[in-house]
Amino acid sequence: MIGTKSRDTLAEAVADADALAPASSRPGVLRALLGHRTGVVGLVIVVVVALVALAAPLLAPDDPTRVDALRRLAPPSPDAPLGTDNLGRDILSRLIWGARLSLGTAGLAALLILTIGVGLGMIAGFYGGLLDDLLMRVVDVLLAFPALILALAIAGVLGPSIASVMIGIVTVAWADYARVMRGQVLAARERQYVEAARATGVRDARILARHLLPNVLPPILVLASLEMGGLILTISGLSFLGLGAQPPTPEWGAMLNDGRAFIGSAPQLMLFPGLAISIVVVGFNLLGDGLRDAFDPHLRD
Amino acid sequence: MTRYILRRVAAMVVTLWFIVSATFVIMHAIPGDPFVTEARLPETVLANLRAYYGTDRPLGEQYVRYLGGLLRLDLGPSFKSDTLGVNEQIALGFPVSAQLGLQALVLALALGLGLGMFAASRAGGLVDGFTMLVGTLGISVPSFVVAPLLIDLFAVRAGWLPVAAWGSFASTILPTVTLAVAPLAYIARLTRASVLETLGQDYIRTAHAKGQPPLRVLVHHALPNALIPVVTILGPITAGILVGSFVIEFIFGIPGTGRMLVRAIFERDYPVILGSAVFYSTLLLAFNFAVDLAYGVIDPRIRVERSMS
């Protein structure tokens, strides 16, 4: 047993030496991101909105679902800083709770997509053979599918709710990650550090998790940040159509649909949720662009 | 080349079969009977309905029947419309969606390419900054925010354009602009990045060195190569425009296939949902195939690789 143990450490030492180049530049990535003007703006937006979402119960001045017939469609006032909607609910409170819902659902969907996509992609790329062929067939079919239509159909079949929208999206969206990841692993598999690790008897699962994953992760992180923006757009879009969040849930897309009838008389109903969605998505897109530039050594030098 | 095309077509048929089967299974995996509504029809009527649509048959038989119908290009009857089958509904809606999509694609391409090229040729300038702003906002601000804003500004307040009516060219302007925003932003970003990269190449320096006028260098030397990445995303972009129009059709009340699909989902009209999935997938596969063939025309290197393999 002692023998295997020391062999394992040796392999890791060899592998680490091989992996040193990308690993040592990792602090540089953060510095590069912080030196990237628009990337920092994106980072700040994302962090602020995430904090608002986390602290929603503390920040929201009112119950987001409390109906008050006496102050319907009220313009912004000290009582309701962003005005009230057609049922007299406080728009600011609904926006703050909506941040929790939007970031929460998009974040959970992104996590599921990444876990499934990265996991299956790595396994396919690492083992190859029949398993790889089968998985890639499925991926091809999913990529040829009009993803939004399948998501719509699944959401429709399961009945309108946020959960069915998420299931619909995750079902199709993992395929892209699986393909990217498989390509990355295929390329990395032939690298010396993997060969060294394998030669010294490191188990497959350990090679995948400890040696391959850290080296193929950067492009996935960039994709994920850009994906978050797209996810927020899709989820709120389906809620706007009435297929996602159901009333009285404070969801940005659903709020926009509620406000459609009042755009002329009470524009705050559409204006503020519209701004909220746009700002958050801009934030994730800027962060994604910044990350991409930061990870790209050509651009950094 | 013929062998390549045949192989691709065969692969497309297999993919399509997968898609049909998967959607069929999903549609029939849900519990509940689409004919049971609040209206409470008598049991005999329900039995007749099920017999008419064949939903009382075993699943396997329904599946074989559906595939048989597909071979005859028949997507079957709609659950909710007595007069219009799925084929007729698509035939009515698709020209509308296609017109909207085509107009949006032309607008997005013209403005996107123009902005992207101009921005790259004067990198760091005012137009460049504007393009980057458009490029970021365009992919971030959702169509269901843009549309009500445009309607309020141009139709309600200014009164220049009709509100939510489909027919005259004027009524297509706002939906076209809304639909074009996101692809325009993508194309502008991609064109800018691609032209910038090409302008840094040695052969561009050579062209400048031998005294070619700057505009000629841009148009004749840089553009042909810079456009390849843009062509690459034309397939997905066209598909995105076609599929992405359903929110816009919903907002503007446009009688296209997008609104048809949303209606079908609310009414649980499974044949229409299934038919839409089949129809859109076929379209998408055909587009990607066409784009792949187009590379060969644009980029001789790819043509050579393909003929050698």
Side-chain angles (χ1 to χ4, degrees):
Chain A
M1 285 319 273
I2 296 167
T4 35
K5 177 87 192 139
S6 64
R7 245 188 7 216
D8 221 289
T9 358
L10 171 75
E12 249 153 46
V14 175
D16 281 348
D18 201 357
L20 251 181
S24 67
S25 61
R26 223 157 273 151
V29 168
L30 189 63
R31 207 179 314 128
L33 179 66
L34 291 179
H36 192 282
R37 248 191 320 164
T38 53
V40 171
V41 174
L43 186 68
V44 169
I45 292 175
V46 169
V47 169
V48 167
V49 177
L51 288 178
V52 167
L54 280 175
L58 302 173
L59 291 175
D62 200 351
D63 176 351
T65 55
R66 190 174 67 87
V67 173
D68 184 350
L70 291 176
R71 52 166 199 181
R72 290 179 66 238
L73 303 173
S77 68
D79 177 39
L82 297 181
T84 60
D85 70 3
N86 51 324
L87 297 177
R89 295 173 296 198
D90 178 39
I91 291 180
L92 178 64
S93 303
R94 290 179 70 71
L95 279 184
I96 291 174
W97 280 94
R100 186 175 256 217
L101 194 71
S102 282
L103 282 197
T105 47
L108 184 59
L111 195 69
L112 288 172
I113 291 168
L114 277 179
T115 313
I116 300 173
V118 169
L120 290 181
M122 285 186 74
I123 290 173
F126 191 70
Y127 289 105
L130 187 66
L131 189 70
D132 183 27
D133 285 347
L134 269 176
L135 275 172
M136 284 306 114
R137 259 308 64 178
V138 176
V139 165
D140 280 347
V141 171
L142 283 176
L143 290 179
F145 222 118
L148 216 50
I149 300 230
L150 186 63
L152 262 173
I154 293 177
V157 160
L158 295 175
S161 80
I162 275 271
S164 28
V165 164
M166 281 171 58
I167 294 174
I169 293 172
V170 172
T171 310
V172 271
W174 63 270
D176 229 352
Y177 289 86
R179 201 185 44 163
V180 173
M181 210 57 194
R182 172 181 174 270
Q184 293 277 326
V185 170
L186 268 184
R189 193 172 61 168
E190 308 304 327
R191 297 274 298 275
Q192 275 184 345
Y193 65 89
V194 177
E195 215 173 302
R198 201 186 302 210
T200 43
V202 181
R203 276 175 295 110
D204 286 353
R206 199 178 168 83
I207 296 182
L208 279 171
R210 294 291 301 273
H211 300 289
L212 280 173
L213 190 61
N215 283 301
V216 292
L217 214 50
I220 295 290
L221 284 181
V222 175
L223 264 179
S225 180
L226 295 171
E227 178 85 40
M228 274 295 284
L231 281 172
I232 291 173
L233 284 185
T234 310
I235 294 174
S236 56
L238 292 178
S239 292
F240 176 82
L241 289 176
L243 292 167
Q246 297 300 305
T249 318
E251 202 276 344
W252 294 344
M255 287 171 72
L256 273 163
N257 196 23
D258 288 344
R260 278 172 73 204
F262 309 99
I263 183 159
S265 53
Q268 74 269 20
L269 264 66
M270 290 203 86
L271 188 65
F272 296 122
L275 272 175
I277 297 178
S278 307
I279 291 172
V280 172
V281 179
V282 165
F284 276 108
N285 284 337
L286 290 179
L287 178 63
D289 287 347
L291 278 176
R292 185 182 45 211
D293 291 351
F295 276 123
D296 190 341
H298 299 299
L299 292 170
R300 211 185 311 161
D301 294 337
Chain B
M1 195 62 185
T2 323
R3 265 191 56 199
Y4 170 75
I5 291 176
L6 283 178
R7 214 174 48 214
R8 281 293 301 266
V9 170
M12 270 161 57
V13 172
V14 173
T15 307
L16 209 55
W17 174 69
F18 267 113
I19 289 174
V20 171
S21 308
T23 322
F24 188 90
V25 169
I26 294 170
M27 291 289 120
H28 289 86
I30 1 104
D33 186 325
F35 300 117
V36 178
T37 57
E38 294 91 52
R40 288 270 171 89
L41 296 165
E43 192 51 44
T44 45
V45 176
L46 283 178
N48 274 338
L49 275 173
R50 291 191 193 109
Y52 176 72
Y53 287 105
T55 54
D56 54 349
R57 297 292 180 176
L59 257 192
E61 190 184 326
Q62 289 187 45
Y63 175 66
V64 173
R65 263 204 203 177
Y66 192 79
L67 285 186
L70 278 187
L71 288 181
R72 285 175 275 115
L73 301 181
D74 180 6
L75 294 168
S78 154
F79 279 171
K80 302 290 165 178
S81 168
D82 305 329
T83 44
L84 297 175
V86 181
N87 281 34
E88 285 83 14
Q89 292 195 22
I90 291 180
L92 274 179
F94 186 63
V96 175
S97 296
Q99 184 199 344
L100 178 64
L102 211 63
Q103 285 180 196
L105 183 65
V106 170
L107 183 67
L109 268 179
L111 283 182
L113 284 175
L115 267 181
M117 281 181 324
F118 202 77
S121 66
R122 285 177 176 68
L126 208 63
V127 178
D128 191 24
F130 175 73
T131 306
M132 289 308 282
L133 188 71
V134 169
T136 302
L137 286 183
I139 59 168
S140 306
V141 182
S143 57
F144 48 88
V145 171
V146 175
L149 267 179
L150 289 181
I151 293 177
D152 191 52
L153 284 179
F154 293 99
V156 178
R157 281 175 211 269
W160 292 335
L161 296 163
V163 189
W166 182 259
S168 63
F169 175 70
S171 68
T172 69
I173 294 178
L174 289 183
T176 302
V177 171
T178 314
L179 187 54
V181 168
L184 190 158
Y186 268 117
I187 294 172
R189 281 166 71 107
L190 192 67
T191 308
R192 175 183 175 275
S194 179
V195 172
L196 268 183
E197 199 191 321
T198 314
L199 286 178
Q201 303 278 325
D202 285 344
Y203 71 89
I204 296 295
R205 203 175 312 145
T206 311
H208 278 299
K210 68 180 185 180
Q212 294 272 336
L215 189 67
R216 198 184 151 77
V217 174
L218 183 68
V219 175
H220 282 257
H221 297 258
L223 271 192
N225 276 330
L227 284 186
I228 292 172
V230 180
V231 177
T232 318
I233 58 155
L234 267 189
I237 280 203
T238 312
I241 284 180
L242 278 175
V243 176
S245 68
F246 64 84
V247 173
I248 287 160
E249 291 182 12
F250 175 81
I251 297 176
F252 286 95
I254 298 167
T257 33
R259 207 182 59 168
M260 173 191 85
L261 178 64
V262 174
R263 183 199 60 77
I265 286 171
F266 277 121
E267 297 181 350
R268 299 194 141 211
D269 195 342
Y270 299 135
V272 174
I273 303 177
L274 187 53
S276 307
V278 174
F279 177 71
Y280 275 118
S281 312
T282 314
L283 219 56
L284 200 71
L285 287 168
F287 266 123
N288 286 338
F289 184 42
V291 169
D292 279 358
L293 288 181
Y295 293 151
V297 178
I298 296 173
D299 191 346
R301 284 171 300 183
I302 297 172
R303 199 160 49 208
V304 172
E305 268 168 42
R306 199 178 279 157
S307 64
M308 289 198 312
S309 67

